[in-house]
Every structure is written in structure tokens, then in C-alpha cells.
Amino acid sequence: MSKVLLGPTTQIYPMPAFIIGANVNGKPNFMTAAWSGIANGEPPMISVAIRPHRYTHKGITENSTFSVNIPSIDQAKEVDYCGIVSGAKANKAEDCKFNVFYGKLGTAPLIEQCPINLECRVVHILKLNSHSLFIGQVEETHIAESCLTNGEPDFKKINPIVYTTEPSRQYLAYGELIGKAYSIGLEIKKEK
Amino acid sequence: MSKVLLGPTTQIYPMPAFIIGANVNGKPNFMTAAWSGIANGEPPMISVAIRPHRYTHKGITENSTFSVNIPSIDQAKEVDYCGIVSGAKANKAEDCKFNVFYGKLGTAPLIEQCPINLECRVVHILKLNSHSLFIGQVEETHIAESCLTNGEPDFKKINPIVYTTEPSRQYLAYGELIGKAYSIGLEIKKEK
């Protein structure tokens, strides 16, 4: 497999498309973030990278809380809108007809239409260069009852969005099953 | 949409399944990591959360370098193997028949079979609770020439893996196109 060099990039696949929520000046605001992932297991922590000039950055800094709203493909249009428009210029919750509610943290706005919502309390802010990396400890998980099977999350019911960055810039659904984890690798173990 | 509470969790969708590479005691070792994402834009940085007892943790700490190898669905079996077995007990590069090469950093082993490889230099280590969050500045990107279209990365040729966590634990392919980013959200703007 012949390789070519692209220089320093953030070419990773897949990326998520989460809707990050924060109260700004006492009102709920939302932005789309693909630069987010799990940072710690016990206790659960999520990282999200946000540029300091963003309206949401101000809200997270104000309240030291934010939400991670996991959209399904049904919210793709809203995900995109929240990534295009600034909360400084529009009431995105209203424009997207989000039913906003609050959980135990009180200041992390949650989107009822998203199948999963994580309430996060900021425990670290790492000022990198272009972005601040917020590390939020997950204090509560809300999941749609309709997305459970036998009391457990069922990704086929959640129907999540996969985001693909430059140059294609697309939202996609999950595709076909390739294999079971902690299972297909055992074949290599046997082959040895 | 009626919601139920699950307590603090890391229920996010989608997650990646990257193969993280590090030299340990001078030999290439690889582990699978789903807890990884973009941390900064300019310069490009990637975060990866690793438990301190992991063999790869030792290697990254030793050399202050690591690689992020982005697998395609063709490497699903190897991805799974590198998540099951410890480098302390097996030569995973050999077991998986990886063709290992090195780039400009010299100590971050890269897997030729993976369509994309990022060479990272550690710029921060955030000791969280169960995990260390390594922040690596991307120094170089290697991409398979066969995964380019008009000189740009083409995700359809990369054919990446999506990982889905507990309880299903599956590797999946990308699915159908839901919509174009920076495009479908404009409908909401117009509706206003």
C-alpha cells in the first residue's frame, strides 16, 4: 500500500457530531462539535474542543457545566444548523424547536428530541492553541425509553449520526455489521 | 420522548476504533483505542485515554511519541485482536502480520496496511482518574495513495470502522448518506 504525505492534519475516521449545550447569559444555547471523545472511565469523563471566541465557550466557562446531546439521524438538519449559526446571532433552541429541559446540574441544557443526553461538570480546561479542551465529568445520563431493549441502550434504536470531515463533509448512518468485538480477534489468537 | 436515567456513563455514539502504536523497549507495539478524538485544530492535536497499567502507556511515556493508525473494515479482525491481547504477552505486530514502518518521529511505529497513519508527539499528559489522557501533536499524516480521489482523502475508499460500545460491542461500516454538512441546516435558516 503506497503512501503519500499530507503534513500535519486531523484526518480521523469516524468522527461524531454531538450537540453541545450550555447556558449563556441564562439562556440555553447549542453548538455542534465533532471534536469530542471519551477522556476517562472511572469516573466517566468527556472531552470537547471549542474555540475561545465561540458563544458556547463563554457559557461553559460561566457555569462550569455543559451537556453532550447525542443526536439520531432524525436530527441531522438540526445538527447541521447548530454548526452553521452562532448563538450570538440566533436563538438556536427556538429555531430548531428543541424541547429544552434541565437535569441535576441545573445549568446544562438538554435536548429532549436527542435520544441520549449527558450532563457534564467541568473538571479541567486545557488551553491548547486554537482550542480550549474542556474535560467534563459525566454526572448523569438520560436516555429515551424507546431506545432501550431489555433495559439496555440499543444502538439500532438510537440510530446515531456518523460525521465525515473535509473534503466530503457528510452525515451518514451506521452501516452493516463487520464483526463482534472481543470475538473476531480470537481467530488470530487461534491461528498462532 | 420519555427519558430514563442511567447514572454517569460514557454512552456516546459513534466511537472510533483506532490502533495506537508505540515502541516499548525498542519494539513496536499496538493497542486498540476507542477513547480518542481531536483536541486542537492549529496545530492539529489528538487525545487518547489509556490506563496506566497498559503496555502501550509505558511506551508512550518512554518516547513521548505515538501513532494513530486508522483502520478500514479490512483490518477489523486485527483491530479486535489488538484490543484483546496485551503486548506484554504477545508480539502483536507479528501476530497480525503488520508491515511496520517509521516516519519522521522515528519512534512511532506505523502500520502499512492501515489507510491512514498519524505521527504524534506528546505535548500534554493529563492524569485523570482511571486513565492518562495523552495529547499528541500530529507531526505527519500518511495516507494510502489508493484512498485519494483528485489528491484528496476519499472516505469511501478508506472504508472506516465505526465501533459501538456496551452492550452490543460491534464493528460496523459506514452506512447511507443522510445529508451534506454546511448544507441541510440551511433549510432551517430559510424557514425562519
Side-chain angles (χ1 to χ4, degrees), chain A:
Chain A
M1 198 182 269
S2 170
K3 295 267 167 91
V4 296
L5 303 178
L6 297 181
T9 72
T10 51
Q11 280 284 322
I12 63 167
Y13 298 82
M15 285 206 287
F18 298 147
I19 306 179
I20 305 299
N23 269 7
V24 191
N25 300 327
K27 282 185 183 166
N29 184 58
F30 298 96
M31 67 167 271
T32 305
W35 294 14
S36 182
I38 297 172
N40 193 64
E42 300 95 34
M45 294 182 193
I46 307 281
S47 70
V48 58
I50 302 180
R51 290 186 193 271
H53 71 81
R54 295 293 295 257
Y55 199 62
T56 302
H57 192 286
K58 181 174 148 74
I60 299 179
T61 310
E62 264 175 24
N63 301 297
S64 292
T65 60
F66 64 92
S67 66
V68 180
N69 301 275
I70 315 289
S72 85
I73 60 170
D74 298 333
Q75 284 98 43
K77 209 161 74 169
E78 289 76 12
V79 165
D80 198 43
Y81 181 74
C82 290
I84 294 173
V85 173
S86 168
K89 292 179 182 165
N91 184 333
K92 293 195 253 186
E94 206 176 279
D95 297 345
C96 292
K97 301 184 178 67
F98 288 148
N99 298 328
V100 177
F101 69 106
Y102 291 86
K104 65 192 286 187
L105 293 181
T107 52
L110 309 168
I111 301 170
E112 195 251 1
Q113 287 97 330
C114 289
I116 301 177
N117 323 93
L118 305 176
E119 294 186 65
C120 300
R121 186 173 50 80
V122 176
V123 290
H124 290 283
I125 305 174
L126 203 54
K127 302 263 181 191
L128 297 172
N129 205 310
S130 58
H131 288 68
S132 301
L133 190 69
F134 291 99
I135 311 288
Q137 184 170 324
V138 181
E139 298 285 356
E140 188 57 273
T141 308
H142 304 251
I143 186 165
E145 212 165 355
S146 58
C147 291
L148 299 175
T149 296
N150 300 326
E152 294 202 308
D154 183 336
F155 77 87
K156 285 180 186 164
K157 295 177 178 174
I158 295 165
N159 214 349
I161 291 176
V162 175
Y163 177 59
T164 286
T165 189
E166 314 281 346
S168 69
R169 309 205 300 185
Q170 295 184 1
Y171 304 110
L172 300 119
Y174 274 27
E176 54 164 345
L177 172 68
I178 304 303
K180 282 270 193 188
Y182 302 94
S183 171
I184 54 171
L186 298 173
E187 285 177 42
I188 295 177
K189 238 179 153 176
K190 275 182 212 147
E191 281 165 17
K192 284 180 66 183

